[in-house]
Amino acid sequence: MNIFVAGATGAVGLPLVRALCARGHEVTGTTRTGSGADALREVGANVCVLDAFNRVEVIDAVAAAAPDVMIDQLTWLPANPADIVKSLPNDTRLHKEGGDNLLAAAEAAGVARYILQSRGFFLDAPFGKLADETARLRYTAPGPIGENTRVIGAYEDRVLDSTVFQGVVLRYGFFYGPGTWYRPEGAIAQQFRRGEARIIGDGQGVWSFVHIDDAISATVAAVTADPGTYNIVDDNPLPVSKWMPAFARWIGAPVPAQLSIEDAVSMSGEEAVFYHMQLTGASNIRAKENLGFRPRDLLWAREGL
């Protein structure tokens, strides 16, 4: 197939492009930089240097590529994970304006299938339950998180409700593995080793992770699978109170101490408390049934849970 990947040089984008090219697809990947162009050429993709906020530029680029499938892997992540909440307004704008431009381009070019990267860790489900694909994003989340979920939720709806193309929404868990924050030499591991990590309150919020390679395999499968929503998460949703100590032992770092909710709000805001106290894990049953998804066990889950 002819596949257009927006955000083709990120943690997911570049290995995804490499996997698609290896399977014989013709892939056009977007990037904002010259170094990104070199990386795309190296794996065999066509290069499109593109500003996602420029509507005319996006429409012209997609028209020139004439893809069968479009995959939106655009994200705006900071270099330092401590700045994630501060960066969310930029990420929200990217999904709102850039996503609108990509949708307009896909419709104008007659794209047959549109695949969207979404969130598998901001889902709304009763406490103690796993969120399935019918769950909405947590629109009531505090501050920039809530604004982000509302924008991405509206984006999901537009993709799934389209009468022009088949829509696929992939709700990924927190990425770990090569090129991500969650690896032995990644940015999160460095925070742990510096003693900066804390467990807020009783750490009852449940996180779903996914290995980056498993996420890529699922995305490749989604090119031809049934349309709809899929939770791309592993089999080990864990509360913060369990995964953080296990991660620390896995990388040889001190086990994080606890921080009261009051102190956390004072130091880091309500958003930090939301991550540690209110996140809901997700179910991957539909992805297993329709995508042949077989995620590996969370690598640090063996470390004395």
Side-chain angles (χ1 to χ4, degrees):
M1 294 184 181
N2 185 345
I3 302 175
F4 189 96
V5 180
T9 57
V12 177
L14 188 58
L16 172 62
V17 169
R18 183 168 62 243
L20 292 170
C21 288
R23 285 162 175 76
H25 298 296
E26 180 178 351
V27 181
T28 298
T30 75
T31 181
R32 293 180 296 172
T33 67
S35 60
D38 292 340
L40 288 169
R41 291 190 188 97
E42 185 177 14
V43 299
N46 303 314
V47 177
C48 177
V49 178
L50 182 69
D51 177 4
F53 294 113
N54 187 318
R55 190 178 187 88
V56 173
E57 197 173 294
V58 172
I59 290 174
D60 288 348
V62 174
D68 306 300
V69 179
M70 282 185 66
I71 305 177
D72 181 359
Q73 293 287 348
L74 291 172
T75 56
W76 191 306
L77 293 176
N80 183 350
D83 295 329
I84 184 65
V85 174
K86 294 179 183 177
S87 77
L88 276 176
N90 286 327
D91 185 78
T92 299
R93 178 180 171 235
L94 181 61
H95 284 91
K96 186 173 186 177
E97 298 179 22
D100 187 63
N101 292 340
L102 288 171
L103 284 172
E107 291 170 353
V111 167
R113 173 164 294 214
Y114 194 103
I115 300 174
L116 169 64
Q117 175 186 151
S118 186
R119 313 288 199 235
F121 42 82
F122 286 155
L123 299 178
D124 196 357
F127 183 76
K129 302 292 185 180
L130 296 181
D132 63 17
E133 285 78 7
T134 65
R136 305 290 290 179
L137 293 173
R138 191 73 63 86
Y139 294 160
T140 58
I145 300 175
E147 179 61 23
N148 189 261
T149 59
R150 290 188 290 272
V151 165
I152 294 178
Y155 192 177
E156 285 188 356
D157 290 343
R158 291 183 65 187
V159 170
L160 295 171
D161 293 343
S162 175
T163 59
V164 177
F165 50 70
Q166 294 179 327
V168 181
V169 171
L170 301 179
R171 291 170 162 176
Y172 300 114
F174 289 105
F175 296 124
Y176 75 96
T180 74
W181 287 341
Y182 294 89
R183 57 189 174 88
E185 298 304 322
I188 295 292
Q190 297 305 323
Q191 286 185 340
F192 273 64
R193 293 193 180 99
R194 292 193 299 265
E196 297 171 359
R198 296 287 187 275
I199 298 171
I200 297 173
D202 61 6
Q204 67 181 355
V206 178
W207 290 35
S208 282
F209 287 88
V210 65
H211 193 282
I212 192 76
D213 291 345
D214 296 335
I216 289 161
S217 295
T219 308
V220 171
V223 169
T224 55
D226 291 342
T229 302
Y230 297 94
N231 295 336
I232 309 302
V233 298
D234 65 17
D235 296 326
N236 307 102
L238 291 171
V240 171
S241 60
K242 290 188 176 181
W243 81 253
M244 285 187 71
F247 182 81
R249 288 188 284 269
W250 184 58
I251 63 172
V255 173
Q258 283 189 293
L259 183 68
S260 72
I261 293 174
E262 294 76 11
D263 287 344
V265 171
S266 176
M267 294 168 59
S268 305
E270 293 182 1
E271 293 84 0
V273 176
F274 176 80
Y275 271 93
H276 282 236
M277 297 292 293
Q278 298 182 44
L279 291 193
T280 302
S283 165
N284 59 18
I285 292 175
R286 187 167 191 262
K288 284 184 171 181
E289 291 176 347
N290 289 24
L291 302 180
F293 184 54
R294 297 293 180 268
R296 69 200 71 191
D297 291 337
L298 186 62
L299 293 180
W300 58 87
R302 66 194 73 165
E303 299 296 327
L305 288 174

